[in-house]
Amino acid sequence: MSSVISVENLSKKYIIGHQKQEGYTSLRDVLTNGAKHLTDKLRHPFAVPENDPTHEEFWALKDVSFDIQQGDRVGIIGRNGAGKSTLLKILSRITEPTSGKISIKGRVASLLEVGTGFHPELTGRENIYLNGAILGMSKAEIKKNFDEIVSFAEVERFLDTPVKRYSSGMYVRLAFAVAAHLEPEILVVDEVLAVGDAQFQKKCLGKMEDVGNEGRTVLFVSHNISAIQQLCGSGILLRDGVMRETGPMDKVIESYLDDSTLIGKESIGDIPRARHDYGVIARFVNAWPVNSKGERTTSFMSGEDISFDLDIKAFEKVDSLSIVAGLDTYMDYRITTVLSEEVGMLFSGNKDAVISVNVKVPHLHLKPGTYALTLGIRRNKSPLDHVVKAIRFEVSEVSSSSGSYDSSKRGDILTESAWHLL
Amino acid sequence: MSSNQSVLVLEAGRAERHYWRDLWRYRELFFFLAWRDILVRYKQTTIGMVWALGRPLITMLVFTLVFSKLAKLPSEGAPYPILVFAALLPWQFFASAFSGAGDSLISNAGMISKVYFPRLVIPASAVIVSFVDFLISGIILVALMIWYGFTPSLRIFTLPLFILVAFAAAMGAGLWIAALNVKYRDFRIIVPFVVQFGLYISPVGFSSSIVPEQWRLLYSLNPMVGVIDGFRWAILGGDTRLYWPGFMLSLSLVMLLLITGIVYFRKTEKTFADVI
């Protein structure tokens, strides 16, 4: 086994201008700034030039090193702005690194966007050839795969229709189909599965799995943790341009979740809300998971009663508040949602009062794993606060279930059952 | 998979060793892009072909009227419309290639920030698109020759050489403007100005023989003077004489333009994706 991609101390710096949004400059600015510097220099010839306050350095990647073996399927995860896309751009030779070195063995095809270069005026057939050429396929290769591409995209009837008349679903299917038939040794894919319907996404994932099974190397960036987990054996976690973790995918996902939940770090009252009108009238300030013995803890047994102590601060006199709690798996899959208004519980409080509430979910038969609680406050059906993944807890297997059957394969719920011989 | 795959090394400021080989590998993309632009151009307009023929034809008529009928300028023995058209062909090729290449990178920004390929492919295919228009307008020249019963001399066989020079001039200027346009967007404003101004300072509507002898070398500092004179010399034959010192000067300037254009483009192309 030899490494096909070897990255050593890779860094990439961007200069951000604070004056304007665009990356490009205008000649006028260059001339006026140049003249200004010249006159400054003439007036104060011995002054030390100060740092230009309108420009700031930004390291999108800093000292990243890793090796990828042939046939690996590697998932790259991290929050927005962690440097994932920059890394892919450097690997696909779109932009060059500021320092560091990358050695790549074999042909790389990168798919950072579906339908790059598609022209709306051209027909499906013409776009297949054009897009294939842009992605680096030869005409002969495209011809060879043409029928397969068309049937994968399911656009047979519309081959000679300009793609501007396609539905967005057809457009994306066609675009992905072309890319899926690239035959490189290394395939680099960025978040392209965010588009298309569920069925097509499944098809795409399957295709990418095939690519990996053929001994080719796949690098995959996504926010869809379950897709990454399904597809990738190993992973890389980036945070603020620095590599935090690398190794088996499960371990990397674990660290990613540790990174993105806040238990023990700060109060949930401080978690930034998605909208600035959330948490203004009433706000969650604390939340703890509580076990059946009444202890605040984050580890539970499957089948145990789980309850949550919630503290809500009212910033004005409020009444008829309904509380919503949603339980998610760590792959962003919603298990269940409970609403206090459904059982006729509405809460009220005076200005600056803290309303403490406990909600109990008896006999939660979750399969072992990590779960997160998402909280919301509603008044007359309009949201007042919303905290995504406010707290996190672990569920482990009940010791008595000395099952010979692997519990991870038993489904999402490990329910009780009663058996009788009839 | 072959066992002896070449290793690609990416490093800051590292010159691409396989650049020209890559460019060759991407030759199909180059044709596809040119083909796309031509296809799109003629798909969107109902009278596409007429448009490509009509524009130079009308310009030629106006120039003939102004310079021959009103200003009574000499025609070097050939019918004035042919004199004008022999110059209009390379000039329009240059002008449209120049502005086409100038816009090409910006209008393909999406591709540049998402896919790798030698960026040279984009302005080069824009030049090719203009070249196709040039060939189409060439039909008018043939028609004019038949109309006036004008038989070119054997010098017409040297025309491909001058087309090559015109190509080099268009490519050189096109690469410069394309690369500059990515970094400094105000070059966008300069392009129409150069095209308009260039039409007057190049000998399109008149023969460069009316320029006084002592100024001709200076006049040849405009590279298009050499290109246009060469076209006229090859097409008109007869009394037309090529002013060799001026032509050589123009030719060297064209070469300089092309070489510096390639060097500057290659130097800046790696940062295109960051600034575009």
Side-chain angles (χ1 to χ4, degrees):
Chain A
M1 284 286 248
S2 62
S3 55
V4 280
I5 300 176
S6 137
V7 174
E8 293 163 41
N9 306 92
L10 186 74
S11 298
K12 173 78 186 177
K13 179 176 75 178
Y14 284 104
I15 307 284
I16 338 173
H18 288 306
Q19 271 180 332
K20 47 197 181 295
Q21 274 84 43
E22 299 89 349
Y24 55 82
T25 40
S26 85
L27 187 63
R28 193 187 58 212
D29 291 346
V30 173
L31 292 178
T32 50
N33 283 343
K36 210 175 117 238
H37 284 162
L38 195 69
T39 49
D40 280 356
K41 201 133 200 188
L42 288 173
R43 280 163 57 201
H44 315 283
F46 303 109
V48 183
E50 51 191 307
N51 281 335
D52 191 346
T54 60
H55 289 89
E56 192 186 311
E57 287 184 358
F58 166 72
W59 290 91
L61 286 175
K62 195 129 179 69
D63 260 346
V64 173
S65 307
F66 57 87
D67 279 283
I68 292 174
Q69 311 298 325
Q70 190 188 323
D72 277 2
R73 282 176 294 183
V74 182
I76 300 170
I77 53 178
R79 290 178 168 194
N80 286 330
K84 304 177 303 265
S85 296
T86 307
L87 178 60
L88 292 198
K89 276 192 176 179
I90 296 173
L91 283 171
S92 8
R93 300 164 75 188
I94 292 163
T95 181
E96 68 168 359
T98 308
S99 64
K101 185 178 164 187
I102 302 179
S103 317
I104 300 176
K105 254 184 259 170
R107 182 174 153 198
V108 183
S110 53
L111 188 55
L112 304 195
E113 180 189 66
V114 277
T116 308
F118 260 43
H119 199 291
E121 291 292 333
L122 301 182
T123 67
R125 183 190 306 276
E126 287 159 349
N127 270 310
I128 290 178
Y129 278 98
L130 181 67
N131 192 232
I134 288 169
L135 293 173
M137 279 193 252
S138 71
K139 201 174 170 185
E141 257 179 288
I142 304 168
K143 258 202 180 115
K144 196 184 85 195
N145 290 319
F146 190 85
D147 291 335
E148 221 179 304
I149 291 172
V150 173
S151 70
F152 188 88
E154 303 159 29
V155 293
E156 290 91 343
R157 283 168 51 215
F158 307 100
L159 257 188
D160 295 305
T161 311
V163 295
K164 66 178 175 187
R165 311 228 180 283
Y166 278 31
S167 73
S168 53
M170 283 159 64
Y171 185 92
V172 169
R173 284 207 302 272
L174 183 65
F176 188 85
V178 180
H181 290 81
L182 279 167
E183 289 170 354
E185 281 101 27
I186 301 162
L187 182 64
V188 174
V189 184
D190 189 6
E191 202 74 76
V192 284
L193 298 175
V195 289
D197 54 28
Q199 200 199 339
F200 189 71
Q201 284 189 14
K202 219 171 159 184
K203 205 167 160 183
C204 298
L205 270 177
K207 185 78 192 172
M208 276 166 57
E209 246 177 311
D210 290 349
V211 169
N213 290 337
E214 286 160 18
R216 290 186 251 151
T217 312
V218 181
L219 265 84
F220 182 42
V221 161
S222 181
H223 284 111
N224 184 341
I225 297 288
S226 68
I228 279 225
Q229 208 199 19
Q230 186 190 334
L231 192 70
C232 305
S234 56
I236 292 168
L237 172 63
L238 292 174
R239 186 182 174 188
D240 301 329
V242 180
M243 198 169 71
R244 301 273 297 177
E245 178 89 49
T246 174
M249 199 67 233
D250 287 336
K251 211 176 107 215
V252 173
I253 289 177
E254 189 94 341
S255 314
Y256 173 61
L257 293 166
D258 276 338
D259 247 20
S260 54
T261 45
L262 290 147
I263 193 148
K265 288 175 193 159
E266 52 187 301
S267 145
I268 68 164
D270 301 332
I271 297 178
R273 309 302 205 247
R275 276 170 45 179
H276 47 248
D277 56 338
Y278 284 166
V280 175
I281 297 168
R283 189 180 184 94
F284 285 104
V285 285
N286 275 308
W288 301 271
V290 181
N291 68 11
S292 49
K293 295 183 201 107
E295 298 158 347
R296 288 178 177 174
T297 174
T298 55
S299 44
F300 295 88
M301 290 297 178
S302 181
E304 195 180 358
D305 295 351
I306 300 179
S307 66
F308 302 97
D309 284 347
L310 311 173
D311 284 353
I312 296 164
K313 176 145 186 166
F315 292 98
E316 56 186 63
K317 189 173 165 20
V318 286
D319 49 20
S320 60
L321 298 185
S322 165
I323 301 174
V324 187
L327 206 54
D328 299 306
T329 69
Y330 69 112
M331 295 191 294
D332 288 342
Y333 175 75
R334 178 56 59 96
I335 303 272
T336 185
T337 308
V338 291
L339 293 90
S340 71
E341 65 189 80
E342 272 186 352
V343 291
M345 281 295 287
L346 295 174
F347 303 92
S348 54
N350 287 320
K351 184 173 189 293
D352 291 330
V354 173
I355 309 163
S356 294
V357 176
N358 177 273
V359 52
K360 183 161 112 179
V361 188
H363 306 300
L364 207 47
H365 292 283
L366 298 172
K367 81 168 179 184
T370 306
Y371 296 87
L373 190 72
T374 292
L375 293 168
I377 306 173
R378 305 207 303 163
R379 186 173 61 182
N380 303 326
K381 299 211 182 334
S382 67
L384 295 184
D385 196 11
H386 185 70
V387 195
V388 178
K389 293 192 172 172
I391 49 173
R392 193 184 138 204
F393 58 94
E394 309 279 339
V395 173
S396 53
E397 218 160 335
V398 182
S399 49
S400 63
S401 79
S402 54
S404 52
Y405 194 75
D406 184 1
S407 66
S408 66
K409 287 181 183 154
R410 286 168 63 173
D412 285 338
I413 292 176
L414 305 176
T415 185
E416 291 169 19
S417 56
W419 300 77
H420 304 282
L421 186 66
L422 296 175
Chain B
M1 246 171 286
S2 59
S3 52
N4 55 343
Q5 290 157 349
S6 63
V7 179
L8 173 75
V9 178
L10 306 176
E11 245 178 328
R14 187 187 176 95
E16 214 54 87
R17 258 181 308 162
H18 308 305
Y19 191 82
W20 299 105
R21 204 185 64 190
D22 262 7
L23 200 60
W24 175 246
R25 253 198 37 212
Y26 279 89
R27 67 193 181 280
E28 281 181 342
L29 175 61
F30 167 71
F31 289 118
F32 272 125
L33 283 181
W35 166 78
R36 175 193 74 178
D37 289 345
I38 293 165
L39 211 61
V40 168
R41 166 115 54 113
Y42 292 115
K43 258 188 188 177
Q44 279 166 327
T45 58
T46 39
I47 52 163
M49 206 56 164
V50 180
W51 190 231
L53 294 171
R55 222 169 35 158
L57 199 66
I58 293 163
T59 317
M60 181 271 289
L61 287 174
V62 172
F63 272 38
T64 307
L65 189 74
V66 172
F67 291 103
S68 171
K69 300 284 180 266
L70 299 179
K72 306 251 185 286
L73 293 177
S75 77
E76 308 203 8
Y80 211 86
I82 296 182
L83 176 96
V84 169
F85 212 82
L88 207 55
L89 267 183
W91 172 256
Q92 288 220 321
F93 168 50
F94 177 82
S96 81
F98 183 65
S99 46
D103 279 341
S104 63
L105 290 174
I106 310 278
S107 50
N108 287 298
M111 266 171 69
I112 287 173
S113 56
K114 296 292 179 193
V115 189
Y116 166 79
F117 52 86
R119 309 308 190 198
L120 206 62
V121 165
I122 289 185
S125 75
V127 172
I128 288 289
V129 172
S130 305
F131 187 67
V132 171
D133 281 350
F134 165 83
L135 292 179
I136 292 172
S137 329
I139 300 169
I140 301 181
L141 183 67
V142 176
L144 279 177
M145 285 178 172
I146 296 168
W147 176 267
Y148 284 100
F150 181 86
T151 323
S153 70
L154 283 176
R155 283 196 214 154
I156 193 83
F157 292 108
T158 62
L159 191 61
L161 278 175
F162 296 107
I163 292 177
L164 216 60
V165 179
F167 214 101
M171 196 75 187
L175 288 180
W176 266 108
I177 199 72
L180 285 170
N181 220 345
V182 172
K183 192 126 197 253
Y184 310 105
R185 291 295 155 93
D186 19 18
F187 276 92
R188 228 179 210 181
I189 304 154
I190 296 174
V191 172
F193 174 74
V194 170
V195 168
Q196 199 184 26
F197 196 64
L199 183 60
Y200 297 113
I201 61 165
S202 302
V204 178
F206 48 89
S207 161
S208 53
S209 60
I210 63 165
V211 174
E213 195 71 29
Q214 69 267 36
W215 297 112
R216 279 197 80 171
L217 203 59
L218 189 70
Y219 191 50
S220 298
L221 280 175
N222 171 2
M224 283 313 284
V225 170
V227 174
I228 290 172
D229 282 355
F231 263 70
R232 284 216 173 107
W233 181 80
I235 293 169
L236 302 181
D239 309 338
T240 346
R241 264 194 308 279
L242 201 54
Y243 176 66
W244 283 103
F247 179 76
M248 292 322 282
L249 180 62
S250 288
L251 188 64
S252 353
L253 282 172
V254 166
M255 284 303 143
L256 188 72
L257 196 63
L258 181 63
I259 290 162
T260 55
I262 292 172
V263 170
Y264 182 71
F265 191 89
R266 292 240 11 228
K267 219 181 92 188
T268 51
E269 75 172 325
K270 283 190 173 179
T271 60
F272 284 172
D274 295 339
V275 293
I276 205 158

